[in-house]
Amino acid sequence: MKQQHSLSSFLFFLLFLHCANTFAQSPAAAPAQTPAAVVAQPPATTPTQAAQPHGITNVTKILEKAGHFAIFIRLLRSTQEESHLFSALNDSSSGVTIFAPTDSAFSELKSGTLNTLSDGDKSELVKFHVVPTFLSTSQFQTVSNPLGTWAGTGSRLPLNVTSYPNSVNITTGLTNTSLSGTVYTDNQLAIYKIEKVLLPKDIFASKAPAPAPVALAPEKPTKAVPAATVESPVAPVDISSALMFAHIMLWDQLAWLLLQCLLCNV
Ligand SMILES: *[C@@H]1O[C@H](CO)[C@@H](O)[C@H](O)[C@H]1NC(C)=O
Ligand SMILES: *[C@@H]1O[C@H](CO)[C@@H](O)[C@H](O)[C@H]1NC(C)=O
Ligand SMILES: *[C@@H]1O[C@H](CO)[C@@H](O)[C@H](O)[C@H]1NC(C)=O
Ligand SMILES: *[C@@H]1O[C@H](CO)[C@@H](O)[C@H](O)[C@H]1NC(C)=O
Ligand SMILES: *[C@@H]1O[C@H](CO)[C@@H](O)[C@H](O)[C@H]1NC(C)=O
């Protein structure tokens, strides 16, 4: 990983020299602008944006634009809930409220948590973050608990919301958190940011002691959860696959830059 990184840096440096030569007339402006433009608008995104049919609200796109929801987006995709949401939002009679955990919320989980879940549990975890009605912040004052989610209702899937003058708090019995911001809202879809992953009891109750201490004392999770290191040798996979993705993006952009420079030279 480190080697690859320094190789990339070296190639970028070469490229920089090359481009600086090519654009000798404006040496200061050219190298500074080119990478920024590439990062902001990689050529691959253009066709996807055009492909959105009928103006159906695209949750993934909203989350991507907001940033810091990469893991939640990945889960939405891998569990097919992305398309489930898409068809739900195409049906104007039903609204949807999504509690979207940030990437740092996922990073607070005991390491390896996601990797050890079965596909079914992953699906349920994602569905647990989707309420099948549209709820504005003021409507949280009048909802009755427990709130039903796409994962279902009942004592093993409780999701209780309590509205206070300055906050809307959520509890699952295992996770306490509060809404930390509104990512998006119209009359059909509301997306709220949360700083903790909502852990449904029916998946995590048996592992309950683990997430709780992590949440209470994030600075020393290994002490509180001695089993973590033993149980999850695959833990870093989540992060490294994200890094890998970043690397692929980097190499894509590099290739694209190279191509541009070659074309400039012709
Ligand atoms: C929604 O947006 C995402 C990200 O921009 C894109 O990958 C996906 O194809 C879009 N979905 C639809 C159905 O347009
Ligand atoms: C949206 O709903 C309409 C009418 O129910 C249907 O014809 C259309 O195929 C749906 N589009 C998508 C992308 O699901
Ligand atoms: C959720 O609210 C219901 C009804 O008020 C209550 O019975 C239940 O104990 C609450 N659960 C949690 C986890 O707070
Ligand atoms: C959540 O909050 C309730 C009531 O404020 C508290 O009794 C409980 O211990 C908290 N649970 C966690 C996991 O922090
Ligand atoms: C609501 O949640 C916030 C942060 O998650 C917490 O600081 C606050 O004590 C909670 N309020 C109540 C009444 O539990």
Side-chain angles (χ1 to χ4, degrees):
M1 197 66 87
K2 201 179 174 187
Q3 262 182 346
Q4 202 182 19
H5 192 82
S6 48
L7 186 59
S8 320
S9 312
F10 178 62
L11 277 180
F12 257 114
F13 178 64
L14 277 187
L15 209 57
F16 171 87
L17 284 183
H18 182 73
C19 286
N21 268 344
T22 310
F23 297 104
Q25 310 92 305
S26 54
Q33 278 173 2
T34 317
V38 172
V39 171
Q41 232 177 28
T45 60
T46 320
T48 351
Q49 277 166 357
Q52 185 173 341
H54 312 307
I56 301 169
T57 317
N58 184 332
V59 171
T60 322
K61 192 181 266 183
I62 293 168
L63 290 173
E64 265 177 7
K65 212 169 160 191
H68 308 294
F69 294 106
I71 299 175
F72 191 54
I73 290 171
R74 193 150 50 81
L75 278 172
L76 282 171
R77 291 209 165 119
S78 68
T79 58
Q80 318 292 319
E81 293 306 320
E82 181 185 30
S83 47
H84 189 181
L85 277 171
F86 199 70
S87 36
L89 291 168
N90 185 30
D91 176 0
S92 53
S93 66
S94 67
V96 171
T97 299
I98 300 170
F99 300 117
T102 57
D103 289 339
S104 66
F106 280 101
S107 72
E108 267 188 41
L109 291 178
K110 185 181 82 171
S111 59
T113 300
L114 289 183
N115 291 320
T116 54
L117 290 182
S118 68
D119 286 350
D121 284 350
K122 272 184 202 162
S123 248
E124 188 166 69
L125 179 64
V126 172
K127 286 176 174 169
F128 193 59
H129 289 75
V130 183
V131 177
T133 46
F134 167 78
L135 294 169
S136 67
T137 43
S138 62
Q139 282 171 310
F140 283 116
Q141 290 163 17
T142 54
V143 293
S144 58
N145 287 326
L147 217 56
T149 68
W150 273 8
T153 50
S155 60
R156 296 207 32 97
L157 286 161
L159 185 68
N160 285 5
V161 172
T162 314
S163 201
Y164 297 100
N166 294 314
S167 70
V168 175
N169 285 22
I170 307 177
T171 183
T172 70
L174 297 178
T175 309
N176 291 342
T177 190
S178 56
L179 305 189
S180 69
T182 303
V183 178
Y184 179 89
T185 184
D186 56 25
N187 289 323
Q188 200 197 1
L189 168 68
I191 305 178
Y192 300 107
K193 181 162 84 163
I194 53 176
E195 307 298 335
K196 287 206 178 114
V197 179
L198 301 175
L199 302 178
K201 265 184 173 172
D202 73 325
I203 300 179
F204 294 97
S206 54
K207 309 164 192 166
V214 171
L216 290 172
E219 65 276 6
K220 42 183 174 181
T222 40
K223 223 175 185 176
V225 196
T229 40
V230 184
E231 195 194 299
S232 46
V234 285
V237 166
D238 258 341
I239 292 157
S240 70
S241 64
L243 279 179
M244 198 68 100
F245 180 69
H247 264 273
I248 291 167
M249 293 288 289
L250 189 66
W251 282 103
D252 266 5
Q253 287 170 10
L254 208 58
W256 193 66
L257 266 176
L258 260 172
L259 188 67
Q260 280 220 322
C261 276
L262 286 177
L263 288 177
C264 286
N265 264 1
V266 173

